[in-house]
Amino acid sequence: MSIYTKTGDAGETGLYTGERVRKSSLRVAVYGTVDELDSVLGLARAFVAKAEVRERVLALQKKLPALMADLASRAQDAMIAETDVAALEQAMDELEGRLPPLTSFLVPGDTQGGAALDHARTVTRRAERLFCRLSEEEEVHDTDRRYLNRLSDYCFLLMRLEDQ
């Protein structure tokens, strides 16, 4: 099977549910940004020095296909569940308990891994902003919105853990 299909040559792509949409659609921009996030997280995982952070990043990457499937679908049950949001919250609570309190703004770049994780945080924020715009036009899963919101905070905490 060839890598190219030619089905997108006219500026359309297929959603997970089989519908065809313009590649310029907001829905495609959202899941494309989550795809970009996956790449940035892969870069971060390649750079981080701490095994714990690498494992946590890999776990995040394994969850992103479900998020992208949600975003690339219409009228389907959510693949990101309340338990996924709760798991991120639990992981963040645990990390916050181990990290010293913040006393000033952080400047990214102390380590390559930390800088890549901060990049992941900002890509996640962009995905969340696009998601919010999409939610004004189309029906979306609220669990996806909350997951993206928690994910950016989690990336921040992982950066702090890596740079500590």
Side-chain angles (χ1 to χ4, degrees), residues 117-136:
L117 286 164
D118 196 58
H119 186 194
R121 177 191 63 80
T122 64
V123 172
T124 307
R125 286 285 191 219
R126 179 164 29 97
E128 183 185 13
R129 288 189 304 271
L130 290 169
F131 183 95
C132 289
R133 284 183 44 212
L134 178 64
S135 73
E136 294 170 2

Side-chain angles (χ1 to χ4, degrees), residues 17-160:
T17 49
E19 300 165 72
R20 302 293 295 173
V21 296
R22 299 294 303 165
K23 288 183 178 183
S24 60
S25 81
L26 193 50
R27 183 171 290 277
V28 174
V30 176
Y31 72 74
T33 304
V34 174
D35 189 27
E36 179 185 351
L37 169 63
D38 191 17
S39 292
V40 174
L41 284 170
L43 181 68
R45 189 165 49 90
F47 279 132
V48 296
K50 295 182 178 175
E52 177 188 359
V53 177
R54 248 190 327 278
E55 291 167 12
R56 288 176 182 259
V57 170
L58 180 59
L60 287 176
Q61 287 183 277
K62 289 180 177 181
K63 187 51 78 174
L64 289 183
L67 179 59
M68 284 187 278
D70 277 356
L71 297 169
S73 304
R74 288 187 176 133
Q76 295 260 64
D77 290 338
M79 296 182 78
I80 296 293
E82 292 293 337
T83 54
D84 297 313
V85 176
L88 276 183
E89 290 172 348
Q90 182 179 7
M92 287 189 295
D93 290 345
E94 186 263 326
L95 283 180
E96 278 188 300
R98 291 171 42 198
L99 293 167
L102 282 178
T103 57
S104 63
F105 287 103
L106 297 182
V107 177
D110 287 345
T111 65
Q112 288 180 327
L117 286 164
D118 196 58
H119 186 194
R121 177 191 63 80
T122 64
V123 172
T124 307
R125 286 285 191 219
R126 179 164 29 97
E128 183 185 13
R129 288 189 304 271
L130 290 169
F131 183 95
C132 289
R133 284 183 44 212
L134 178 64
S135 73
E136 294 170 2
E137 298 175 12
E138 297 185 39
E139 189 173 320
V140 292
H141 300 294
D142 194 54
T143 51
D144 293 341
R145 176 193 337 259
R146 290 196 315 282
Y147 189 83
L148 279 168
N149 185 267
R150 301 306 183 279
L151 183 55
S152 63
D153 293 336
Y154 189 49
C155 287
F156 178 73
L157 289 172
L158 289 174
M159 175 197 69
R160 289 186 60 207

